[in-house]
Amino acid sequence: MSVATERALTVGRIGERLLRDDAVPKVTGEFQYASDLSAPGMLWGDTLRSPHAHARIASVDLTAALGLEGVHAVLTHADVPGAKLYGLEFADQPVLAIDRVRYVGEPVVVVAAEHPEQARRALDAIVVAYEPLEPVVDMERALEQKPLHPDRPTMGHGYRDDPRPNVVRHIVIRHGDPDTSGDVVVTGTYELGIQDQAFLGPESGLAVPDGEGGIDIHVATQWLHVDRDQVAPCLALRPEQVRLHLAGVGGAFGGREDLSMQIHGALLALHTGRPVKMVYDRAESFTGHVHRHPARIRCEHRATREGRLTCVRMEILLDGGAYASSSTAVASNAASFALGPYRVDNALIEATAVYSNNPPCGAMRGFGAVQTCFAAEAQMDLLAAELRIDPVELRLLNALEPGDILPTGQVVTGSLPTREVIRRAAAIPLPAEEALPRDPLRLPGGAGNTTTGEGVRRGVGFALGFKNICYSEGFDDYCTARVQLRADGSAVVHSASVEVGQGVVGVILQVARTELGTDDVTLAPHTTAAVGSAGSASASRMTWMAAGAVRDACRAALEEQERLGGGEVDVERVYRHPRTTPLDPETGQITGDRAHVALAVSAMRVVVEVDVELGLTRVVWVGTAQDVGHAINPLAVEGQIEGGTAQGLGLALMEELVTRDGAILNASFTDYLLPTALDMPPVVIELVEVPEPDAPYGVKGVGEPPTVVSTAAILSAMRAATDRPLTRVPVRPDDICLGSGMSPRH
Amino acid sequence: MKVSLRVNGERLAGDAWGGESLLTFLRDTLELPGSKNACEQGECGSCSVLLDGTLVCSCLVLAAQADGHEVVTVEGLARGDALHPVQQAFVDAGAVQCGFCTPGLVVAVADLLERVPHPSDDEIRESLSGNLCRCTGYAKIFDAVRIAAERA
């Protein structure tokens, strides 16, 4: 490391605006990401993927590939020494396709060669004979077509038994009397396309054989220990023979929860006895990870003339694609948070996730709540219009608060300042309307110079977002930390909590400095070799869980040191949040006190300008208030809210993986559009701090709520500007100009 | 083929195959992995470098085209102990999250402020619109540009 990276940064304790320790190596280019790794004697791995959404594999001929210069290994499923299937929650996915492929991009053969170009040529030389089968590509029809997984891998795990083919999970939440009527009824059907995490650092890793039959895997991931526990059985190794080490992560957003190159790289490395590096390119990355579930959501909201919700019925269909990934939990979350943060005494919520031959879907920031928020908030606006009530007032009237009951029967016991969040967001002053003429950069269409402003309409929208924090439904959710105190008062913290960019490294150091009363704290590398599991950097849980584990380990270390009268100590502690319990499979009601440990709410107000003649939208301004518990590092919290808002803006306006017969047609940043610096408005942020009683220091996770709420809030503003229903995201210009909610599919 | 060029003031050389990009050559052969490989098709700007003083995506330049030319990468911006003012501003503004876009943005902002020392907000947004960031929503990156411009 250079001198520059060793400069002492301002140290921070809990509550301070902390500058990141890792920012310096990141601005100088020295920070080592997974794709930057290398090792002496290293080979390059590559993956042959299926061009078919659904096909039988008749034969695979490797002869030509094996004969090529520089090629050291060409491996198929026959070379997988242990379990042939793996999966984040259910082992339903082949390490390498066996006799059938179920999605375009499914790995079939892996190769290792001296040079990446030689590896690519080897892939070209492999001959696979496929017999194409009819693909299952429509989520409604999937429920009637031949099952893609006849053995039904997700059934018998405490879920409702659903005999329909291709059901990953069907969850029904029955609350009160779902036949309760209302003075007014509004209905709607809403659709969401497939969103991609589109983290900038492509899937990459380096697998290094240890010479004794074991393997070290350096990889960008979200949960080191769960990777290890999936990799080891496939390699027929004991868990301790497989060591996962965190390499620099270039963003994650849920897309690194599932494995990518981990088993493949390890297979190649163990086979060749040499280190093997794999780096996906962008096109491969788009097929190499799971996406946000596309959804179709039918809603019926009933209310009194005064605006009190009396009953809500929602039917949620989610396309999980070829393999289960985390679809069961996404379906549950979609159902649990379907109503939004509102008190509703009667409800019937049904969520179904299906298997199909579309790209596999799993975790993405917001995890089921994004989809239902978009639908439910549109319904609240419809209801407000129907009743001629101000949309903000309608939300205040129905706001869910502590002591109220969720549709699962769970009583809200923690902090949930819904009304305060609504009021704080609604009170942020709106920007003044900008006069015309003005620089086209500040008009819809931007530098394209498509209008001088004549067809441009302004709209103001409002929405609430609602989501759980931490893992739910009885999952044994824990986090480990290890603290070594030295005789000189300095400390080393070991944690496998993954830094994906969110800043958990800073949180760990802030907690340790606060608890130990010293600034001389360093964080050891994240690895399975030195510390127990931290759980996943997912579900807005990492700050809460890492803070709990590090706090407990620090306090235990100080006690131990005092007991010994000084000297060095080394203690490991496991932190668990209060237990949750599963939902009853038939009624969707809680079987204990709670299925979710904590809840977070956010409110967002948005100003848009829409060119109604061309269907182009400019998001002018965003104001948001978010329930954050207690902000450990306000600077990082703001960064999460700004970045999370951008991802929701992307889903509202431009981000969609377009498929035809299961194949992704736009697997590039040329064709899959991400919000740029020109697309993002200023985001005015109000942090609402009401400490969460069950959490260390009163924290709540903050990463997901802005993504949950922003798509819904932007759509609310666009409907106000256009008077169009806009029931599908991302909104296409046709949806605005042609006046239909859903223009014909591509 | 042999490619020889000046990178960050130092004369360097190595072998490249005909189709090899300058980005790959910098990262894998010259062992300068600071320039990043996010899209490798000129859409994200994370591989931005200065080629004879002009901002380019190094993934769109062949290594062979850079033969005999002058390249500045993110590794060449700091002066000894001191971060480049743009790098320091990114740290101070909290403009870095995962950081994968950061090297390209730092090079692009340094280039912008070289040409336009006090850019307007619109100039900042337009000039950075070729650099994708997936984490920050850009707000703190804009702050960093303003901080760097004020300090200059």
Side-chain angles (χ1 to χ4, degrees):
Chain A
M1 283 214 173
S2 77
V3 181
T5 62
E6 287 166 12
R7 294 168 58 260
L9 286 166
T10 314
V11 294
R13 301 197 182 180
I14 286 174
E16 293 176 22
R17 290 176 76 86
L18 174 69
L19 300 180
R20 299 174 67 114
D21 279 321
D22 63 0
V24 173
K26 283 176 175 176
V27 298
T28 59
E30 288 164 292
F31 187 84
Q32 202 168 43
Y33 293 90
S35 55
D36 301 335
L37 301 172
S38 64
M42 179 179 89
L43 299 173
W44 292 79
D46 211 337
T47 312
L48 184 72
R49 294 172 180 274
S50 166
H52 297 281
H54 194 196
R56 225 184 312 278
I57 297 176
S59 65
V60 181
D61 185 351
L62 310 175
T63 324
L66 282 164
L68 289 176
E69 189 195 340
V71 174
H72 288 256
V74 183
L75 307 181
T76 69
H77 70 91
D79 301 297
V80 178
K84 305 278 187 186
L85 303 178
Y86 75 97
L88 187 56
E89 294 181 13
F90 306 93
D92 66 347
Q93 185 156 5
V95 173
L96 291 165
I98 299 165
D99 52 0
R100 192 177 180 184
V101 286
R102 294 183 183 82
Y103 74 98
V104 174
E106 178 154 0
V108 180
V109 183
V110 287
V111 304
E114 301 275 347
H115 190 277
E117 281 309 307
Q118 292 171 326
R120 258 165 245 159
R121 278 173 215 154
L123 298 186
D124 289 344
I126 296 165
V127 183
V128 183
Y130 294 99
E131 293 167 2
L133 300 166
E134 190 196 354
V136 175
V137 293
D138 180 276
M139 55 179 133
E140 310 234 15
R141 280 194 64 212
L143 295 167
E144 294 152 12
Q145 286 172 290
K146 246 172 109 172
L148 295 168
H149 297 270
D151 50 336
R152 308 171 79 219
T154 59
M155 292 299 147
H157 293 272
Y159 306 141
R160 194 164 190 276
D161 193 31
D162 190 317
R164 293 175 296 174
N166 294 315
V167 170
V168 184
R169 184 175 181 185
H170 179 216
I171 174 167
V172 179
I173 297 176
R174 197 179 292 276
H175 175 52
D177 175 10
D179 291 324
T180 305
S181 59
D183 300 327
V184 291
V185 178
V186 292
T187 60
T189 300
Y190 302 89
E191 278 196 15
L192 300 97
I194 309 174
Q195 190 180 20
D196 192 82
Q197 297 83 354
F199 40 72
L200 289 194
E203 287 86 346
S204 309
L206 176 69
V208 185
D210 67 7
E212 296 168 3
I215 189 104
D216 289 273
I217 304 172
H218 304 260
V219 67
T221 183
Q222 289 181 238
W223 185 356
L224 292 162
H225 287 76
V226 87
D227 283 8
R228 179 195 67 187
D229 295 346
Q230 292 172 85
V231 172
C234 297
L235 300 177
L237 295 176
R238 297 186 307 278
E240 63 273 20
Q241 291 178 284
V242 178
R243 290 161 299 273
L244 269 285
H245 311 280
L246 189 67
V249 184
F253 318 117
R256 297 189 207 269
E257 284 193 18
D258 293 77
L259 296 181
S260 58
M261 57 64 64
Q262 287 90 329
I263 305 176
H264 298 158
L267 280 173
L268 291 166
L270 289 169
H271 191 87
T272 59
R274 288 170 65 168
V276 173
K277 176 175 176 173
M278 298 184 86
V279 181
Y280 293 2
D281 66 14
R282 184 50 53 184
E284 187 173 23
S285 176
F286 271 109
T287 53
H289 60 252
V290 299
H291 317 284
R292 188 189 301 292
H293 289 71
R296 194 168 300 153
I297 303 172
R298 297 191 177 89
C299 308
E300 184 174 323
H301 282 59
R302 303 170 185 164
T304 65
R305 232 174 297 282
E306 294 72 39
R308 278 289 315 179
L309 288 165
T310 54
C311 181
V312 176
R313 298 172 76 116
M314 286 175 73
E315 240 182 83
I316 303 149
L317 191 56
L318 301 155
D319 189 345
Y323 295 102
S325 180
S326 50
S327 283
T328 55
V330 171
S332 170
N333 249 42
S336 284
F337 299 96
L339 304 187
Y342 304 113
R343 213 191 98 191
V344 185
D345 294 335
N346 308 286
L348 180 62
I349 305 159
E350 249 190 277
T352 310
V354 301
Y355 281 123
S356 73
N357 294 115
N358 287 318
C361 290
M364 183 175 171
R365 196 175 195 170
F367 204 77
V370 167
Q371 291 91 329
T372 47
C373 179
F374 162 62
E377 288 300 292
Q379 288 286 103
M380 292 302 281
D381 280 352
L382 271 185
L383 195 59
E386 180 75 23
L387 292 165
R388 297 174 191 280
I389 296 178
D390 179 84
V392 175
E393 288 304 317
L394 181 73
R395 287 169 169 90
L396 278 171
L397 181 67
N398 289 285
L400 186 77
E401 290 275 327
D404 290 339
I405 298 174
L406 296 167
T408 53
Q410 177 174 338
V411 178
V412 178
T413 53
S415 80
L416 191 69
T418 307
R419 288 202 182 92
E420 189 183 345
V421 163
I422 296 173
R423 290 199 183 102
R424 292 272 292 273
I428 304 172
L430 295 177
E433 207 158 336
E434 263 184 282
L436 292 169
R438 63 175 106 123
D439 190 318
L441 214 58
R442 293 194 307 281
L443 281 167
N449 202 7
T450 51
T451 180
T452 50
E454 47 287 276
V456 174
R457 307 279 178 270
R458 179 176 155 116
V460 180
F462 195 85
L464 298 189
F466 188 40
K467 185 166 187 306
N468 58 324
I469 305 295
C470 300
Y471 279 19
S472 301
E473 284 193 272
F475 189 89
D476 183 19
D477 198 8
Y478 68 92
C479 185
T480 313
R482 183 176 149 209
V483 171
Q484 293 170 291
L485 290 184
R486 303 224 175 87
D488 64 4
S490 68
V492 180
V493 180
H494 296 264
S495 167
S497 305
V498 167
E499 173 62 57
V500 292
Q502 83 282 45
V504 72
V505 162
V507 169
I508 290 170
L509 291 173
Q510 282 175 289
V511 169
R513 287 166 184 153
T514 303
E515 290 294 335
L516 299 173
T518 173
D519 292 337
D520 196 356
V521 180
T522 51
L523 182 61
H526 312 247
T527 170
T528 61
V531 63
S533 174
S536 186
S538 304
S540 299
R541 69 180 281 289
M542 202 74 264
T543 290
W544 172 329
M545 300 301 287
V550 173
R551 175 197 65 184
D552 290 356
C554 286
R555 290 179 186 177
L558 289 173
E559 276 171 29
E560 181 70 3
Q561 200 174 44
E562 194 178 319
R563 197 180 64 80
L564 295 173
E568 303 208 350
V569 297
D570 185 344
V571 302
E572 185 169 281
R573 286 292 179 274
V574 174
Y575 169 83
R576 284 183 164 79
H577 64 63
R579 287 297 296 215
T580 62
T581 53
L583 296 173
D584 180 277
E586 291 309 315
T587 64
Q589 295 298 296
I590 47 170
T591 53
D593 288 338
R594 49 183 160 183
H596 299 289
V597 69
L599 310 164
V601 62
S602 61
M604 188 172 282
R605 201 174 187 203
V606 172
V607 178
V608 298
E609 288 182 341
V610 184
D611 182 339
V612 295
E613 292 166 359
L614 293 175
L616 300 173
T617 300
R618 169 188 176 228
V619 180
V620 176
W621 177 91
V622 170
T624 186
Q626 185 171 320
D627 156 32
V628 299
H630 174 51
I632 289 203
N633 180 358
L635 185 69
V637 170
E638 290 164 14
Q640 286 299 301
I641 293 173
E642 289 154 353
T645 300
Q647 293 185 0
L649 182 149
L651 178 59
L653 295 177
M654 63 189 84
E655 291 186 38
E656 180 177 10
L657 278 179
V658 179
T659 61
R660 184 185 295 143
D661 297 331
I664 297 171
L665 302 181
N666 57 336
S668 75
F669 284 162
T670 307
D671 298 316
Y672 182 92
L673 301 181
L674 297 178
T676 70
L678 284 169
D679 298 305
M680 270 308 285
V683 179
V684 180
I685 297 168
E686 294 271 332
L687 302 184
V688 177
E689 297 194 78
V690 180
E692 171 62 35
D694 284 328
Y697 314 108
V699 302
K700 278 189 185 183
V702 299
E704 290 172 292
T707 303
V708 173
V709 73
S710 53
T711 304
I714 290 166
L715 263 289
S716 171
M718 290 174 69
R719 290 188 200 100
T722 62
D723 209 22
R724 303 287 191 216
L726 305 182
T727 54
R728 185 187 190 284
V729 288
V731 175
R732 292 158 298 197
D734 293 4
D735 300 333
I736 294 168
C737 302
L738 302 181
S740 75
M742 285 190 274
S743 59
R745 293 302 306 270
H746 316 269
Chain B
M1 69 187 71
K2 195 62 133 190
V3 173
S4 142
L5 70 178
R6 189 175 285 277
V7 183
N8 302 330
E10 204 180 331
R11 184 153 292 288
L12 298 172
D15 285 316
W17 66 280
E20 187 162 319
S21 69
L22 174 59
L23 174 65
T24 301
F25 185 67
L26 288 169
R27 288 174 53 79
D28 294 344
T29 304
L30 302 185
E31 297 178 3
L32 290 167
S35 308
K36 287 290 167 275
N37 57 314
C39 81
E40 298 185 75
Q41 58 177 180
E43 293 290 347
C44 73
S46 61
C47 64
S48 299
V49 301
L50 297 171
L51 178 63
D52 295 335
T54 301
L55 187 70
V56 297
C57 287
S58 61
C59 71
L60 294 185
V61 177
L62 289 174
Q65 285 175 286
D67 185 55
H69 293 268
E70 169 105 29
V71 174
V72 177
T73 72
V74 69
E75 288 100 335
L77 292 182
R79 288 283 164 267
D81 298 5
L83 293 179
H84 186 281
V86 170
Q87 292 172 320
Q88 188 63 53
F90 268 67
V91 174
D92 294 345
V96 179
Q97 288 189 30
C98 93
F100 209 79
C101 70
T102 305
L105 269 158
V106 164
V107 173
V109 172
D111 173 65
L112 168 68
L113 295 182
E114 194 67 37
R115 291 181 289 110
V116 187
H118 296 285
S120 69
D121 285 356
D122 284 349
E123 282 172 317
I124 294 171
R125 291 165 68 233
E126 184 159 30
S127 64
L128 300 185
S129 63
N131 290 77
L132 295 175
C133 170
R134 190 55 160 165
C135 296
T136 67
Y138 304 101
K140 298 210 177 332
I141 293 171
F142 300 154
D143 289 347
V145 182
R146 292 182 203 113
I147 290 171
E150 275 165 27
R151 286 177 184 167

